Amino acid sequence: MDIRIRQLGKRFGDFAALDGVSLDIRSGELLALLGPSGSGKTTLLRAIAGLEQPEQGRVLFDGEDATGLSVQARRAGFVFQHYALFKHMDVRRNIAFGLEVRRGGERWPKARIAARVEELLALVQLDGLGGRYPTQLSGGQRQRVALARALAIEPRVLLLDEPFGALDAQVRRDLRRWLRELHDRTGLTTVFVTHDQEEALELADRVAILNRGRIEQVGTPAEVYDRPASPFVYGFVGEANRLPARVRGDGLEVAGAQWPLPATLPAAGELEVYVRPEDMRADAAGDWAGTVLSVQRSGARTRLRARLHEAAVDVEVELPPDAPAYAAGQPIALAARRHGVFPAT
Ligand code: ATP
């Protein structure tokens, strides 16, 4: 099922949690909602689910207006970070819950429910654990039960709110890979909230980046990383050096270096050029002359800090593995491999 979100607005008092959000989620894709705390990710997910009533805008499921539909009628499956399982029920009953509460003609016969539960136990790789209680499971196993419970009702869309947020790093990484495989097998349209950029970039087909209740950019992980649409995205997905820039004559002056004028330029007077540390490179014929301030190695990565003389700005440079050794105080010439130009903030 595809989901179209049109101009959604949701306020809490004076505060706009969603400020005119429009987004197209394609059928069968795994889309991550990525943004800092308070940017509106959960509110957007809840509005898709029908748990939150927006004051403005519409949500369309397969072209049909779902804005007025109840949570049940939307048939969304949820998993939340702290969506506690029912402690007094074993894993099987937890998974069956959504099917057992159905009434009348909707209700499946017992044998069908039991068969569906066994099928789901196998799908989330918990065969043989159906008789356990939640306290007898690890955190990762509990979240897989929560996922099986969400899938039991054969949802049209799966909505996940930081489902692995409370787990430790290794378990989180394993579950991420597992979720990706599960998604590829079920082909279910899935929306996934996270504030962890690595998680979003690794897991999602596309990423929507939220900031202050607005969408800054939607694109594949490669698009948002390689071509950030705004200074916010540059800083939030990865890191960036900010260099002062201005139009001078028929060129662009960037931290004292003269570049040709780009084909398109923001209309503002004061500009800034953004360059990622890994897009800075040492180059004897480079644009900027500087001095190495410090060199820091962390695992496989070596980062160098340098001061550019002309503009007196400090930059971070990620050195390639085969780079020569640098020492503080040494002169260095630098160039940018890739950059973005934005109005100065
Ligand atoms: P986090 O990563 O911290 O969960 P988020 O991006 O999911 O953040 P939301 O939970 O959507 O952000 O909240 C967006 C903003 O709306 C926050 O500033 C939050 O305090 C506010 N907000 C959310 N729900 C309510 C509520 N029920 N009443 C008042 N304010 C709310």
Side-chain angles (χ1 to χ4, degrees), residues 16-236:
L18 296 179
D19 189 6
V21 168
S22 294
L23 175 65
D24 286 346
I25 302 166
R26 298 173 191 152
S27 183
E29 87 172 327
L30 203 171
L31 180 118
L33 299 176
L34 174 68
S37 182
S39 56
K41 308 179 293 291
T42 296
T43 307
L44 180 54
L45 198 76
R46 289 171 57 86
I48 297 171
L51 291 165
E52 205 73 77
Q53 281 309 312
E55 291 98 34
Q56 189 197 312
R58 295 193 306 158
V59 177
L60 305 169
F61 282 6
D62 268 343
E64 235 177 273
D65 198 337
T67 322
L69 290 185
S70 69
V71 177
Q72 288 72 21
R74 292 187 194 203
R75 280 213 2 248
F78 307 99
V79 180
F80 299 117
Q81 182 175 337
H82 298 293
Y83 195 21
L85 298 173
F86 303 115
K87 286 201 181 65
H88 58 290
M89 292 184 191
D90 65 15
V91 166
R92 263 194 203 91
R93 287 195 56 216
N94 263 287
I95 297 175
F97 184 78
L99 299 172
E100 288 190 334
V101 293
R102 286 184 179 166
R103 291 286 165 257
E106 293 266 284
R107 170 122 194 170
W108 290 4
K110 269 199 162 17
R112 186 170 172 202
I113 295 179
R116 175 80 180 138
V117 169
E118 290 312 311
E119 190 186 302
L120 286 161
L121 278 171
L123 185 71
V124 300
Q125 294 163 355
L126 291 174
D127 324 63
L129 298 187
R132 289 218 190 157
Y133 285 82
T135 51
Q136 299 170 311
L137 300 173
S138 71
Q141 288 171 333
R142 269 183 233 154
Q143 284 309 74
R144 282 190 274 152
V145 175
L147 213 68
R149 182 167 67 180
L151 291 169
I153 59 155
E154 295 178 319
R156 295 197 288 169
V157 54
L158 194 56
L159 304 173
L160 312 173
D161 193 350
E162 307 246 9
F164 312 138
L167 305 172
D168 71 46
Q170 185 55 46
V171 178
R172 226 181 136 118
R173 268 196 294 276
D174 291 347
L175 278 182
R176 226 185 263 171
R177 230 164 281 142
W178 172 83
L179 178 67
R180 180 71 234 186
E181 283 167 22
L182 183 80
H183 173 266
D184 293 345
R185 252 181 292 151
T186 60
L188 206 56
T189 309
T190 303
V191 188
F192 183 95
V193 163
T194 181
H195 63 268
D196 179 340
Q197 48 142 316
E198 189 189 306
E199 187 156 279
L201 296 186
E202 190 182 310
L203 193 60
D205 296 315
R206 290 192 309 147
V207 182
I209 294 155
L210 272 95
N211 181 28
R212 298 165 183 247
R214 289 168 176 267
I215 292 195
E216 295 259 341
Q217 185 171 7
V218 186
T220 63
E223 280 164 359
V224 298
Y225 192 84
D226 293 342
R227 291 193 298 279
S230 67
F232 175 82
V233 178
Y234 248 111
F236 191 72

Side-chain angles (χ1 to χ4, degrees), residues 252-268:
L252 187 68
E253 187 184 281
V254 185
Q258 280 297 319
W259 289 6
L261 208 57
T264 54
L265 260 189

